[in-house]
Amino acid sequence: MLDLSSIEIDPEILRLVPKSVALELSVLPLFMENDALNVAVADGHDRQVISDLAFLTGKRIRSKTFSGEELGTAIQRIYGISSIELRRNSHLARAEFLSVREETPKEEIPVTGDVSSDGSTISLVNRLITDAISMGASDIHVEPYEKYLRIRYRLDGVLHEVLQPPIERTKPLISRLKIMADLDIAEKRRPQDGRIRVREGESVIDIRVSTLPTDFGEKVVLRILDKSQLELDLAKLGFEDKDLSLFKKTIHLPFGMILVTGPTGSGKSTTLYGALNYINKPEINITTIEDPIEYNLPGINQTHVRSDIGVTFASALRSILRQDPNVIMLGEIRDAETAEIAIRAALTGHLVFSTLHTNDAASAVTRLIDMGVEPFLVASSVKMILAQRLLRRLCQECKSATELTPDQLLEMQLDSEAGAYQFYEAVGCPNCHNVGYSGRTAVFEVLPLTNGLSDMISRGISTSEFRHSARQNGMLTLRASALKKAIRGETSLAEVLRETAA
């Protein structure tokens, strides 16, 4: 008989069963033998547990029974599970999947067509979602290929493969997701968009569901919008003290435009939400135009773009200007018409927030001019430009000190005295799901448009010259801001190089 109190398990075996699954099902993977995974289960366990594990791992399962107390203690010890995680898991176990329309439990929806109604498909889909929520994933990717089905979670901006269920589970799994999102399961030729809601305790988590036909079936991506994870405190986003002070001062201006730039997924919306939340007061009328609305903010009027019925950014902005706004948040400036209306609004007594897709702050000016906005209008209206990126935070439980080589010093444009600083690298432990990182922080390039810089825009100065002048005025670049976080041990040099350019 195995002694669970002292057994050590190969990390590769532990990866077959995620921590949250081990907690929920009360199982512990032990070892592989003759192509079968041997697991420890509790006395009197539900037979469905074995079916779910076979589906989850794609392997034959052999079970060995132990007392519930002995097994629970072993699971906690081997996975490094804290009492907080135990409480979190008990909440997730009670997670309720709701209909978007009636907010009734999804299990009441009838199962038809090629959808498998066996418990393993239903419970595994529920577990995939609750596991992703517990791990803090932002997206779930369900991807069918010719010979296998791949499931990946996006954790802190990076995709990680978590499962490869048997290929025969593809249709039931995808159909189950489509039913939960109120999509047409018979329509497999066109993309569809839907939504799932999960009630966890008193909070409701929205999940946007998108399907896309591929060669071997429909790919499904689920975007998890957990409002409890939304950080609205500007001081906690990652600003350096000086930049935060400048930003707070600028967002209290009575009029003008503030732009946030960066690629998709760089945290622009969160920064804008944080700014709006900071200035939100009963005496101010704040209205947003978004595509789509990601989070509902109390006290703020939020409008959804509907291009199919003619509600575009430009048309919605024209209507909002007749709604007596003080502050307008425009989800994105996509075309010349929207840019022109937004600029005019900023010049006529409104504070306008918006986003652009550019690589750095200085390039935003060029982008607006390329759209057809006159340079003097850009110079007169834009008060501040922020460029930002998201860096993964090093797990504080397992990060390891490292030294820079001469080549790395050269690549990071650091002098030899940089050896006096202590840098760290990612390792991986149960606390961070063996990734080495836990959570993300933003780095910013904050460019306030002084009178001198505005004059340069009016004169038509080149982007490189404008960028050089901004640095001379004290602007901290994305790379410099990221290096500060690496020096403080918040992130690794690998992350700095991955997300920022010299």
mmCIF file of all heavy atoms in Angstrom, residues 115-133:
data_model
loop_
_atom_site.group_PDB
_atom_site.id
_atom_site.type_symbol
_atom_site.label_atom_id
_atom_site.label_comp_id
_atom_site.label_asym_id
_atom_site.label_seq_id
_atom_site.Cartn_x
_atom_site.Cartn_y
_atom_site.Cartn_z
ATOM 1 N N VAL A 115 -24.933 16.790 -29.992
ATOM 2 C CA VAL A 115 -24.362 17.131 -28.694
ATOM 3 C C VAL A 115 -24.445 15.932 -27.768
ATOM 4 O O VAL A 115 -25.498 15.366 -27.566
ATOM 5 C CB VAL A 115 -25.114 18.317 -28.055
ATOM 6 C CG1 VAL A 115 -24.425 18.728 -26.777
ATOM 7 C CG2 VAL A 115 -25.211 19.468 -29.013
ATOM 8 N N SER A 116 -23.312 15.579 -27.185
ATOM 9 C CA SER A 116 -23.301 14.497 -26.215
ATOM 10 C C SER A 116 -23.877 15.001 -24.910
ATOM 11 O O SER A 116 -23.464 16.004 -24.380
ATOM 12 C CB SER A 116 -21.863 14.009 -25.996
ATOM 13 O OG SER A 116 -21.827 13.112 -24.912
ATOM 14 N N SER A 117 -24.865 14.289 -24.375
ATOM 15 C CA SER A 117 -25.477 14.719 -23.123
ATOM 16 C C SER A 117 -24.914 13.970 -21.936
ATOM 17 O O SER A 117 -25.414 14.091 -20.835
ATOM 18 C CB SER A 117 -26.999 14.524 -23.189
ATOM 19 O OG SER A 117 -27.300 13.157 -23.391
ATOM 20 N N ASP A 118 -23.841 13.164 -22.153
ATOM 21 C CA ASP A 118 -23.299 12.449 -21.019
ATOM 22 C C ASP A 118 -22.620 13.428 -20.070
ATOM 23 O O ASP A 118 -22.147 14.486 -20.454
ATOM 24 C CB ASP A 118 -22.329 11.360 -21.475
ATOM 25 C CG ASP A 118 -21.085 11.934 -22.123
ATOM 26 O OD1 ASP A 118 -20.214 12.389 -21.354
ATOM 27 O OD2 ASP A 118 -20.985 11.915 -23.353
ATOM 28 N N GLY A 119 -22.590 13.029 -18.804
ATOM 29 C CA GLY A 119 -22.086 13.927 -17.777
ATOM 30 C C GLY A 119 -20.657 14.350 -17.975
ATOM 31 O O GLY A 119 -20.265 15.425 -17.545
ATOM 32 N N SER A 120 -19.844 13.507 -18.626
ATOM 33 C CA SER A 120 -18.428 13.845 -18.744
ATOM 34 C C SER A 120 -18.235 15.098 -19.593
ATOM 35 O O SER A 120 -17.400 15.930 -19.280
ATOM 36 C CB SER A 120 -17.646 12.676 -19.344
ATOM 37 O OG SER A 120 -18.105 12.369 -20.643
ATOM 38 N N THR A 121 -19.018 15.249 -20.674
ATOM 39 C CA THR A 121 -18.882 16.440 -21.512
ATOM 40 C C THR A 121 -19.347 17.680 -20.765
ATOM 41 O O THR A 121 -18.664 18.709 -20.749
ATOM 42 C CB THR A 121 -19.701 16.277 -22.809
ATOM 43 O OG1 THR A 121 -19.195 15.165 -23.553
ATOM 44 C CG2 THR A 121 -19.609 17.537 -23.656
ATOM 45 N N ILE A 122 -20.485 17.581 -20.105
ATOM 46 C CA ILE A 122 -21.010 18.726 -19.363
ATOM 47 C C ILE A 122 -20.077 19.121 -18.235
ATOM 48 O O ILE A 122 -19.706 20.287 -18.085
ATOM 49 C CB ILE A 122 -22.414 18.405 -18.809
ATOM 50 C CG1 ILE A 122 -23.412 18.245 -19.955
ATOM 51 C CG2 ILE A 122 -22.878 19.497 -17.841
ATOM 52 C CD1 ILE A 122 -24.780 17.767 -19.514
ATOM 53 N N SER A 123 -19.657 18.149 -17.439
ATOM 54 C CA SER A 123 -18.824 18.480 -16.287
ATOM 55 C C SER A 123 -17.454 18.966 -16.713
ATOM 56 O O SER A 123 -16.869 19.848 -16.075
ATOM 57 C CB SER A 123 -18.682 17.270 -15.356
ATOM 58 O OG SER A 123 -18.051 16.188 -16.014
ATOM 59 N N LEU A 124 -16.920 18.417 -17.821
ATOM 60 C CA LEU A 124 -15.597 18.857 -18.244
ATOM 61 C C LEU A 124 -15.636 20.290 -18.775
ATOM 62 O O LEU A 124 -14.747 21.087 -18.491
ATOM 63 C CB LEU A 124 -15.022 17.928 -19.302
ATOM 64 C CG LEU A 124 -13.590 18.306 -19.688
ATOM 65 C CD1 LEU A 124 -12.632 18.171 -18.527
ATOM 66 C CD2 LEU A 124 -13.115 17.484 -20.850
ATOM 67 N N VAL A 125 -16.675 20.637 -19.537
ATOM 68 C CA VAL A 125 -16.796 22.014 -20.032
ATOM 69 C C VAL A 125 -16.910 22.976 -18.848
ATOM 70 O O VAL A 125 -16.238 24.014 -18.795
ATOM 71 C CB VAL A 125 -18.025 22.157 -20.955
ATOM 72 C CG1 VAL A 125 -18.339 23.625 -21.214
ATOM 73 C CG2 VAL A 125 -17.772 21.452 -22.281
ATOM 74 N N ASN A 126 -17.749 22.615 -17.870
ATOM 75 C CA ASN A 126 -17.865 23.461 -16.681
ATOM 76 C C ASN A 126 -16.532 23.594 -15.972
ATOM 77 O O ASN A 126 -16.152 24.670 -15.509
ATOM 78 C CB ASN A 126 -18.905 22.883 -15.725
ATOM 79 C CG ASN A 126 -20.314 22.986 -16.265
ATOM 80 O OD1 ASN A 126 -20.533 23.543 -17.332
ATOM 81 N ND2 ASN A 126 -21.266 22.432 -15.537
ATOM 82 N N ARG A 127 -15.792 22.494 -15.914
ATOM 83 C CA ARG A 127 -14.511 22.508 -15.205
ATOM 84 C C ARG A 127 -13.467 23.322 -15.974
ATOM 85 O O ARG A 127 -12.643 24.015 -15.380
ATOM 86 C CB ARG A 127 -14.008 21.082 -14.987
ATOM 87 C CG ARG A 127 -12.812 21.025 -14.037
ATOM 88 C CD ARG A 127 -12.420 19.599 -13.725
ATOM 89 N NE ARG A 127 -13.575 18.861 -13.255
ATOM 90 C CZ ARG A 127 -14.049 17.771 -13.872
ATOM 91 N NH1 ARG A 127 -13.489 17.332 -14.977
ATOM 92 N NH2 ARG A 127 -15.086 17.158 -13.389
ATOM 93 N N LEU A 128 -13.488 23.229 -17.291
ATOM 94 C CA LEU A 128 -12.548 24.030 -18.089
ATOM 95 C C LEU A 128 -12.720 25.514 -17.791
ATOM 96 O O LEU A 128 -11.746 26.259 -17.658
ATOM 97 C CB LEU A 128 -12.773 23.785 -19.585
ATOM 98 C CG LEU A 128 -12.263 22.478 -20.177
ATOM 99 C CD1 LEU A 128 -12.727 22.348 -21.621
ATOM 100 C CD2 LEU A 128 -10.755 22.396 -20.085
ATOM 101 N N ILE A 129 -13.975 25.944 -17.670
ATOM 102 C CA ILE A 129 -14.249 27.357 -17.426
ATOM 103 C C ILE A 129 -13.887 27.750 -16.002
ATOM 104 O O ILE A 129 -13.204 28.755 -15.773
ATOM 105 C CB ILE A 129 -15.722 27.674 -17.737
ATOM 106 C CG1 ILE A 129 -16.001 27.464 -19.238
ATOM 107 C CG2 ILE A 129 -16.078 29.096 -17.323
ATOM 108 C CD1 ILE A 129 -17.452 27.587 -19.631
ATOM 109 N N THR A 130 -14.333 26.958 -15.014
ATOM 110 C CA THR A 130 -14.037 27.301 -13.622
ATOM 111 C C THR A 130 -12.546 27.211 -13.332
ATOM 112 O O THR A 130 -12.005 28.013 -12.568
ATOM 113 C CB THR A 130 -14.817 26.400 -12.653
ATOM 114 O OG1 THR A 130 -14.552 25.022 -12.949
ATOM 115 C CG2 THR A 130 -16.309 26.657 -12.756
ATOM 116 N N ASP A 131 -11.867 26.261 -13.969
ATOM 117 C CA ASP A 131 -10.413 26.143 -13.792
ATOM 118 C C ASP A 131 -9.715 27.376 -14.351
ATOM 119 O O ASP A 131 -8.801 27.933 -13.741
ATOM 120 C CB ASP A 131 -9.914 24.881 -14.497
ATOM 121 C CG ASP A 131 -8.435 24.631 -14.253
ATOM 122 O OD1 ASP A 131 -7.950 24.992 -13.165
ATOM 123 O OD2 ASP A 131 -7.770 24.080 -15.142
ATOM 124 N N ALA A 132 -10.160 27.837 -15.534
ATOM 125 C CA ALA A 132 -9.563 29.030 -16.144
ATOM 126 C C ALA A 132 -9.786 30.256 -15.264
ATOM 127 O O ALA A 132 -8.889 31.082 -15.081
ATOM 128 C CB ALA A 132 -10.157 29.258 -17.535
ATOM 129 N N ILE A 133 -10.983 30.366 -14.681
ATOM 130 C CA ILE A 133 -11.274 31.498 -13.798
ATOM 131 C C ILE A 133 -10.380 31.459 -12.566
ATOM 132 O O ILE A 133 -9.809 32.465 -12.149
ATOM 133 C CB ILE A 133 -12.765 31.504 -13.399
ATOM 134 C CG1 ILE A 133 -13.646 31.787 -14.623
ATOM 135 C CG2 ILE A 133 -13.031 32.548 -12.312
ATOM 136 C CD1 ILE A 133 -15.134 31.603 -14.370
#
